[in-house]
Every structure is written in structure tokens, then in C-alpha cells.
């Protein structure tokens, strides 16, 4: 069965809030509505004029208009209606296209400026659906459904007034019977559609069984489950047959309902009208007009019922959109600042920092972490998986806030720094390089979008990327493919390094930057990394000895605590936890 769609007070308030995106184009909306009302009102002249034309043809005209003149009247009405319909379409298109474009931009801005936790608790597919499916539903509502809904209301309003004035007795019979018949047919039709959907679901389920059986054919044969799969498919087909037969019976009843009740209602009104014509209480042309008006009113009632469902769905979409629009945001795009405006030295201090992830508040990941890094130092963080190395980086970049303690950069608590200003002084070369699907040039430029072409070439040169870039026919315009799939691992790493060089950060973070490379690629990338780490504070997360042995100081983490720190030589001489990690790595390599 299909779910009933209802409009609550809260959802209606959210729908009204969405209209703020229409406000800048309110005059286009007003003009479109005016054209709609005039056009719909003029349409209601047709049935009355047609009936009067019939009266004039049999010599019982009420108005002093010849039959030949009605052709010009109809032509004039059609021309005016055509012009009004064109203008209405243009006005509503402007409102919907521009308004929805503003909504899309506002929605994307809200999502892209959220914090990391927002993306952890929301699926990317759901967020994408807000910008695509939900917004498209609203656009359809603004451009078509809302206008059509109002048009049907206007038609219904004027139609009832006209038939009440034209034939009071007959209109009373019509208004007492016909709306009930139309509403009943709408409800019956919805039930038929729900049965049709149920039948399609049953058919889809049987297709799933077929697909699974054929895809796992070797497994079916190996376990001699041919009979089991046949019985499973047979049960599914039987279920579909039962649903299909019920669907067929209901369709048959629906056809009986349409033929006997709906058309019966029309014929009853026609019969009553014929009796009035016979008694001389009504003209034949007026009866003709009345029947047309009755059909139009019935269509308007049916249209309003169907459009209500569509608009209710759009109102539901506004609730989901409004939920995002009313949420807070981590950064303000409107207050964008000049890059590197802080001009940091790169001094970092963690002062008794403890942290638990918002999704797991009962599990403390870091316990009372304290250390200090002077500007220009190379610092390595080592430890087994889950020790808290990446968490320290995420806290430094203000992806999360510490549960307790302070993080200071250049002696100032990072809580006092603007998110954008702080992160503009930091660059990261991660383990898994995510490149965008554009060109090599665009991916390097991402580090500093306002940089010149010469700056990009120099960054590529310093990262030892220029040679392989120039080997491609398109050079910097080479398309890297989705997530950089057309480049090798070493090439992607060097593009990421070039991006970091172009950013010219005061604090550099290398998160397992060479862990997935072969020895030859690692050697080339390591040379580029050494160049990158010159004259800036560098934090290295790594397991490989070649990457961390040159660090000025190594902090060894175990289960969220710093258990050792010192140079490679000092820690190795202690024969503590660090020495165990190194020995384990060497044995694994052997």
C-alpha cells in the first residue's frame, strides 16, 4: 500500500520559509499569477458561449449576437489566452529557475561549510539527494504543480458560480452528487495504483531470485540446490499471481464503477436537464453549456486531488531541505579572508589534551597528551593503528574540539583562530591521495586557486613532477580521471606534494605519504618531501624507518598516550616500545 501524504502545520511553515528564495522575483510571480487567473477566467467563457451559439442557431438567443460572430469571439479569446499562457510560462520559469538556482547555491553552501562530524553522521547519497531529487521536486512544484493547482481552484470557483447562476435547480443536484462521485473515483484510483505497485514489487522480487541463482550458478550446482531455487522462484511467482489476480479484480470493479457510477451521474444530470428543457424551464444551449461546465468542474476536483498529493510531496521535500538550511555552519564563505593573512611561525603545543569522538563519547581516544614543537622542526608521530596519531592531526586542523586541555599555535589557543585563517597556513599530503577528475593543472592549482601559471609550473618542478607531466601529450592539461585513476600511485603523490608546495604552508602534515609506494617511487617522492619540509614545521605520521629516522623528535603513542619521545638513536638505545615497533617492521620486511 502507498503511504498517505499529509501536510502538517510545521511542514507548511517550512514550505512558507522556502518562499524567501522566490521573494527577489516576487513581481514575476505576481505577474504570472495575474496571467494565470485572467487566462483561467477567460477559459470559462467558452462553454457558456458555445451554449449561447447553440441557442442562436435554433433561434432562441439570449444575447444579440449572430452565429457568424461567435467565430470571431472564439478566435479573440484563443489569441488572448495564447498570449497570456506564454507570458505566464515565462514569468513562472523565471521565478522557478532563478529561485531554485539560489536555493541550490544556499543548500550547497550550507553542506560544504559543515564540520567533519556532519559528514560522519549523514550519508553522502542522502545529502546529494537533497540537492538533486528534493530540489527538483520543489522546482516542479513551483513551475508547474502550484500554478496548475491555483488554475484548477479558479476554474472550480468560477464554474460553481456560473452553473449556480445558469441553472440553480440542476446545479444543486450536480453539487450534491458529482463531487462525491469524483472524490470516490480518486480514492479508488489510488488503491488501484497501490495494488499495481505491489504487483511490480512482487515481480521485482522474483527477478532478484533469478539474478541471484544465475550469478551464483556454480554454488547452486556445488550444493545441489536446484530444487531449492526452483521452489523459491515458484513461491515468488505464486505470490505475484495472487497479487495480480486481486489487481485484475479491482480493476474490473473500477471499470464497473466508472461506467455505472461516474457516467451514470453524468447521464442522470443530463436526464434532469432534458426534463427542464422539455418543461421550458431551460434552453437546450444552456443544457449543453451546463454539461460542459459539469465536466470541467469534475476535472478540476480530480486535478486538485492529484495535485494536492504532488504538492504534499514537495512540502515534505522542503522539510528535509529546511533542516539543512537551518543548521549551523563551521565557516562563513561570505567572510572569506586573504590567504596566509595570519603569517604563522609554526610553533605548536598540546597542553593536557584529551579527546573522545562525538559519535563515541564514552571512548576516550587521547589521554592527557602534552608536547611542544618549535617552528621549523620535523616531528614524527609513530605507534600502532588506533594509537591516536591521525586524531592529533584532526584536532590541530580544528576538525574537532578537544574534550579538555588546550592546543596552542604560536602561543595562542586555536579556539581564538578563525577556521579558514588557521587552515590556510596548513597543508596535508595524505596516504590516500584524492584528486579531482579535471586536469593536472587544476589539481595542482587547488592548493592556491589564485596562483599564476608560472607558480604552478614551479611547484611541479620542485615536487619532481615536471618530467612525467611533460611526457604526456597534453602536458598540464592531461585529464587525471575520477580520483586520479589515470595516474600511478607515485605520480598522484607528487601531484599532491606540488599542491602542498603551491600552498606554501607554515605547518606541513605528512600522513603516511609514502606507505603505498614501491621502493623506486618512494625514493623519488621522499626527495620531493625533503624539499617540501625545508623551513617549515613538519608533522610526519609514518611507519617506515626511512621516513621517520631523520625527524628532529619522535613521539611514540600507545593507546592514546605518549609513552616515549626523542630522536631515532635515543629511542632505539632505550630498547622500549619504539624499538619493538622498528624490530617488528624489519622482521615483516624480511
Amino acid at each position: 500500500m502507498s503511504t498517505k501524504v499529509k501536510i502538517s502545520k510545521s511542514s507548511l511553515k517550512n514550505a512558507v520559509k522556502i518562499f524567501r528564495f522566490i521573494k527577489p522575483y516576487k513581481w514575476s510571480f505576481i505577474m504570472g499569477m495575474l496571467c494565470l487567473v485572467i487566462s483561467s477566467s477567460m477559459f470559462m467563457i467558452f462553454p457558456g458561449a458555445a451554449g449561447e451559439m447553440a441557442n442562436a442557431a435554433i433561434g432562441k438567443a439570449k444575447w444579440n449576437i449572430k452565429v457568424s460572430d461567435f467565430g470571431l469571439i472564439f478566435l479573440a479569446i484563443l489569441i488572448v489566452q495564447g498570449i497570456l499562457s506564454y507570458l505566464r510560462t515565462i514569468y513562472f520559469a523565471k521565478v522557478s529557475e532563478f529561485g531554485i538556482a539560489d536555493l541550490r547555491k544556499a543548500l550547497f553552501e550550507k553542506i560544504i561549510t559543515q564540520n567533519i562530524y556532519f559528514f560522519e553522521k549523514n550519508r553522502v547519497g542522502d545529502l546529494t539527494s537533497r540537492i538533486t531529487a528534493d530540489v527538483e521536486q520543489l522546482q516542479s512544484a513551483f513551475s508547474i504543480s502550484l500554478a496548475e493547482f491555483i488554475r484548477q481552484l479558479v476554474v472550480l470557483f468560477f464554474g460553481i458560480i456560473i452553473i449556480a447562476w445558469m441553472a440553480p435547480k440542476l446545479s444543486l443536484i450536480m453539487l450534491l452528487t458529482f463531487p462525491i462521485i469524483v472524490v470516490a473515483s480518486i480514492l479508488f484510483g489510488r488503491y488501484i495504483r497501490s495494488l499495481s505497485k505491489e504487483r511490480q514489487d512482487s515481480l521485482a522480487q522474483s527477478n532478484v531470485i533469478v539474478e541471484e541463482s544465475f550469478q551464483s550458478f556454480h554454488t547452486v550446482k556445488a550444493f545441489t540446490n536446484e530444487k531449492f531455487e526452483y521452489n523459491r522462484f515458484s513461491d515468488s511467482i505464486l505470490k505475484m499471481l495472487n497479487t495480480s489476480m486481486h489487481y485484475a479484480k479491482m480493476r474490473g470493479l473500477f471499470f464497473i464503477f466508472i461506467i455505472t457510477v461516474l457516467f451514470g451521474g453524468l447521464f442522470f444530470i443530463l436526464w434532469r436537464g432534458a426534463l427542464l428543457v422539455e418543461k421550458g424551464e431551460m434552453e437546450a444551449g444552456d443544457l449543453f453549456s451546463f454539461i460542459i461546465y459539469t465536466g470541467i468542474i469534475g476535472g478540476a476536483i480530480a486535478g486538485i486531488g492529484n495535485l494536492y498529493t504532488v504538492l504534499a510531496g514537495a512540502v515534505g521535500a522542503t522539510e528535509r531541505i529546511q533542516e539543512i538550511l537551518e543548521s549551523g555552519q563551521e565557516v562563513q564563505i561570505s567572510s572569506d579572508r586573504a590567504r596566509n593573512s595570519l603569517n604563522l611561525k609554526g610553533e605548536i603545543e598540546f597542553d593536557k589534551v584529551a579527546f573522545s569522538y562525538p559519535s563515541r563519547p564514552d571512548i576516550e581516544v587521547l589521554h592527557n597528551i602534552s608536547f611542544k614543537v618549535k617552528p621549523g622542526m620535523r616531528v614524527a608521530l609513530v605507534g600502532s593503528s588506533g594509537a591516536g596519531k591521525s586524531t592529533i592531526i584532526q584536532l590541530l586542523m580544528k576538525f574537532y574540539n578537544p574534550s579538555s586541555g588546550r592546543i596552542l599555535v604560536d602561543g595562542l589557543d586555536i579556539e581564538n583562530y578563525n577556521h579558514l585563517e588557521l587552515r590556510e597556513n596548513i597543508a596535508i599530503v595524505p596516504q590516500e591521495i584524492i584528486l579531482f577528475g579535471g586536469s593536472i593543472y587544476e589539481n595542482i592549482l587547488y592548493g592556491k586557486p589564485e596562483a599564476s601559471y608560472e607558480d604552478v609550473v614551479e611547484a611541479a618542478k620542485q615536487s619532481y613532477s615536471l618530467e612525467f607531466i611533460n611526457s604526456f601529450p597534453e602536458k598540464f592539461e592531461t585529464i587525471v580521471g575520477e580520483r586520479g585513476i589515470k595516474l600511478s600511485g607515485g605520480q598522484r603523490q607528487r601531484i599532491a606534494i606540488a599542491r602542498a608546495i603551491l600552498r606554501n604552508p607554515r605547518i606541513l602534515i605528512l600522513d603516511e605519504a609514502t606507505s603505498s609506494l614501491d621502493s623506486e617511487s618512494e625514493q623519488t617522492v621522499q626527495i620531493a618531501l625533503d624539499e617540501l619540509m625545508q623551513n617549515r614545521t613538519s608533522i610526519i605520521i609514518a611507519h617506515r624507518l626511512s621516513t621517520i629516522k631523520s625527524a628532529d623528535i619522535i613521539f611514540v603513542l600507545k593507546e592514546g598516550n605518549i609513552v616515549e619521545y626523542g630522536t631515532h638513536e635515543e629511542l632505539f638505545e632505550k630498547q622500549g616500545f619504539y624499538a619493538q615497533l622498528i624490530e617488528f617492521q624489519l622482521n615483516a620486511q624480511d
Side-chain angles (χ1 to χ4, degrees):
M1 293 293 290
S2 58
T3 308
K4 291 183 179 179
V5 186
K6 294 182 179 180
I7 299 179
S8 62
K9 287 184 179 180
S10 61
S11 60
L12 199 57
K13 285 181 181 178
N14 284 325
V16 171
K17 288 178 183 176
I18 292 292
F19 269 90
R20 71 180 183 273
F21 293 98
I22 303 299
K23 192 175 180 181
Y25 317 103
K26 60 183 178 182
W27 288 112
S28 294
F29 185 76
I30 291 169
M31 291 301 295
M33 281 295 177
L34 194 61
C35 291
L36 175 67
V37 171
I38 295 172
S39 173
S40 301
S41 304
M42 289 187 69
F43 171 74
M44 299 305 291
I45 297 173
F46 271 110
E52 182 58 24
M53 183 175 65
N55 287 334
I58 60 175
K60 294 184 177 181
K62 294 178 182 178
W63 307 331
N64 190 22
I65 302 174
K66 298 177 182 178
V67 175
S68 57
D69 294 336
F70 278 97
L72 293 174
I73 293 172
F74 289 145
L75 181 62
I77 293 172
L78 286 172
I79 291 172
V80 174
Q81 265 215 310
I83 294 170
L84 289 172
S85 297
Y86 173 79
L87 291 174
R88 183 198 75 186
T89 304
I90 296 300
Y91 283 129
F92 278 126
K94 182 179 179 182
V95 171
S96 64
E97 294 295 337
F98 282 87
I100 292 300
D102 291 343
L103 174 59
R104 284 186 197 275
K105 289 189 287 185
L107 196 56
F108 183 78
E109 180 187 348
K110 273 290 183 179
I111 294 173
I112 204 68
T113 54
Q114 294 295 320
N115 56 30
I116 295 291
Y117 181 57
F118 177 84
F119 286 92
E120 289 177 352
K121 67 180 181 179
N122 290 285
R123 292 181 177 179
V124 173
D126 290 339
L127 297 176
T128 305
S129 177
R130 299 291 169 268
I131 298 179
T132 54
D134 286 353
V135 173
E136 282 171 11
Q137 199 171 0
L138 278 182
Q139 185 168 13
S140 175
F142 281 137
S143 60
I144 300 171
S145 302
L146 182 62
E148 189 61 26
F149 186 76
I150 293 171
R151 192 180 79 83
Q152 298 290 10
L153 286 176
V154 171
V155 167
L156 183 63
F157 176 75
F158 282 108
I160 291 172
I161 290 175
I162 290 169
I163 64 170
W165 168 75
M166 180 183 293
K169 292 181 181 178
L170 204 57
S171 63
L172 186 62
I173 296 170
M174 192 279 288
L175 291 174
L176 288 173
T177 58
F178 204 65
I180 298 171
I181 295 169
V182 172
V183 171
S185 68
I186 292 171
L187 296 175
F188 207 163
R190 283 185 188 174
Y191 179 62
I192 295 294
R193 285 196 296 272
S194 71
L195 286 177
S196 175
K197 183 180 180 298
E198 191 177 330
R199 179 180 176 276
Q200 289 300 113
D201 291 342
S202 298
L203 181 61
Q205 186 59 39
S206 65
N207 289 338
V208 168
I209 294 171
V210 171
E211 189 176 333
E212 286 178 348
S213 300
F214 289 171
Q215 284 180 346
S216 308
F217 190 67
H218 286 86
T219 307
V220 173
K221 287 290 181 184
F223 285 89
T224 62
N225 273 336
E226 292 91 344
K227 186 176 181 181
F228 172 78
E229 293 297 336
Y230 172 77
N231 290 337
R232 200 157 69 105
F233 182 71
S234 296
D235 291 342
S236 176
I237 290 294
L238 184 62
K239 183 180 178 182
M240 187 194 73
L241 276 174
N242 291 333
T243 305
S244 297
M245 290 307 299
H246 184 53
Y247 171 61
K249 289 175 184 176
M250 289 299 104
R251 273 198 310 158
L253 289 174
F254 185 64
F255 290 145
I256 293 173
F257 175 82
I258 291 294
I259 293 168
T260 58
V261 180
L262 188 60
F263 285 103
L266 281 171
F267 291 148
F268 175 73
I269 292 169
L270 181 61
W271 174 66
R272 292 297 303 172
L275 290 176
L276 291 174
V277 171
E278 186 182 43
K279 292 177 182 177
E281 296 179 16
M282 190 177 189
E283 299 297 338
D286 292 345
L287 177 60
F288 176 66
S289 297
F290 189 89
I291 293 296
I292 297 175
Y293 278 122
T294 301
I296 291 172
I297 290 170
I301 294 170
I304 288 169
N306 291 327
L307 288 166
Y308 174 83
T309 305
V310 174
L311 290 174
V315 168
T318 64
E319 283 191 285
R320 294 187 291 270
I321 290 172
Q322 196 64 39
E323 185 182 344
I324 293 176
L325 291 176
E326 290 181 349
S327 62
Q329 55 194 99
E330 187 180 64
V331 297
Q332 298 289 336
I333 290 179
S334 57
S335 61
D336 195 13
R337 300 169 187 267
R339 289 184 179 273
N340 298 323
S341 56
L342 280 177
N343 195 23
L344 297 176
K345 296 176 182 177
E347 182 183 81
I348 301 168
E349 182 180 356
F350 275 59
D351 181 22
K352 299 178 181 178
V353 171
F355 176 72
S356 299
Y357 282 100
S359 57
R360 304 188 304 272
D362 55 323
I363 302 174
E364 194 169 73
V365 181
L366 297 179
H367 317 292
N368 207 32
I369 294 289
S370 295
F371 65 85
K372 191 170 184 178
V373 178
K374 294 180 181 178
M377 286 183 69
R378 294 188 183 185
V379 178
L381 302 177
V382 300
S384 55
S385 296
K389 305 183 296 296
S390 297
T391 303
I392 288 175
I393 299 305
Q394 291 175 328
L395 290 175
L396 177 61
M397 297 186 72
K398 287 190 74 173
F399 288 166
Y400 302 97
N401 296 319
S403 304
S404 62
R406 298 184 305 159
I407 302 171
L408 298 94
V409 173
D410 286 4
L412 183 65
D413 194 323
I414 62 171
E415 286 299 309
N416 298 312
Y417 288 119
N418 176 276
H419 287 80
L420 290 175
E421 290 177 330
L422 177 65
R423 291 172 189 165
E424 283 166 356
N425 284 270
I426 301 174
I428 183 168
V429 181
Q431 177 182 5
E432 184 184 358
I433 302 299
I434 304 296
L435 298 182
F436 295 92
S439 65
I440 290 175
Y441 179 81
E442 289 169 337
N443 273 284
I444 296 175
L445 189 68
Y446 200 79
K448 190 177 181 181
E450 68 272 18
S452 65
Y453 179 82
E454 290 74 19
D455 292 334
V456 172
V457 174
E458 183 59 30
K461 185 178 179 181
Q462 290 182 31
S463 65
Y464 295 86
S465 305
L466 197 57
E467 184 179 350
F468 82 78
I469 292 173
N470 286 332
S471 69
F472 296 132
E474 293 86 7
K475 295 182 171 41
F476 278 93
E477 294 306 315
T478 301
I479 302 299
V480 303
E482 188 175 353
R483 299 171 71 91
I485 196 171
K486 293 184 179 180
L487 301 180
S488 69
Q491 289 170 341
R492 288 198 297 270
Q493 288 284 6
R494 278 177 276 172
I495 293 297
I497 293 168
R499 190 162 62 188
I501 289 172
L502 187 66
R503 194 170 183 82
N504 190 27
R506 296 310 310 152
I507 300 170
L508 174 67
I509 298 167
L510 305 176
D511 188 358
E512 301 281 10
T514 62
S515 63
S516 59
L517 303 178
D518 56 60
S519 299
E520 185 178 348
S521 298
E522 182 191 2
Q523 189 175 3
T524 307
V525 170
Q526 192 61 53
I527 294 169
L529 290 175
D530 288 336
E531 293 276 348
L532 179 58
M533 286 188 284
Q534 296 294 327
N535 303 317
R536 51 176 54 93
T537 305
S538 303
I539 300 177
I540 307 159
I541 297 177
H543 290 103
R544 293 192 179 184
L545 182 61
S546 57
T547 309
I548 59 177
K549 66 187 298 184
S550 61
D552 297 317
I553 188 168
I554 300 169
F555 293 102
V556 185
L557 284 96
K558 183 179 181 181
E559 297 177 354
N561 294 290
I562 295 178
V563 293
E564 294 175 332
Y565 65 91
T567 63
H568 168 70
E569 290 77 13
E570 291 171 350
L571 291 171
F572 201 72
E573 285 179 8
K574 288 181 180 178
Q575 287 298 301
F577 185 61
Y578 176 79
Q580 292 176 23
L581 291 173
I582 297 300
E583 186 178 351
F584 178 78
Q585 182 194 132
L586 293 173
N587 290 335
Q589 289 175 352
D590 290 340

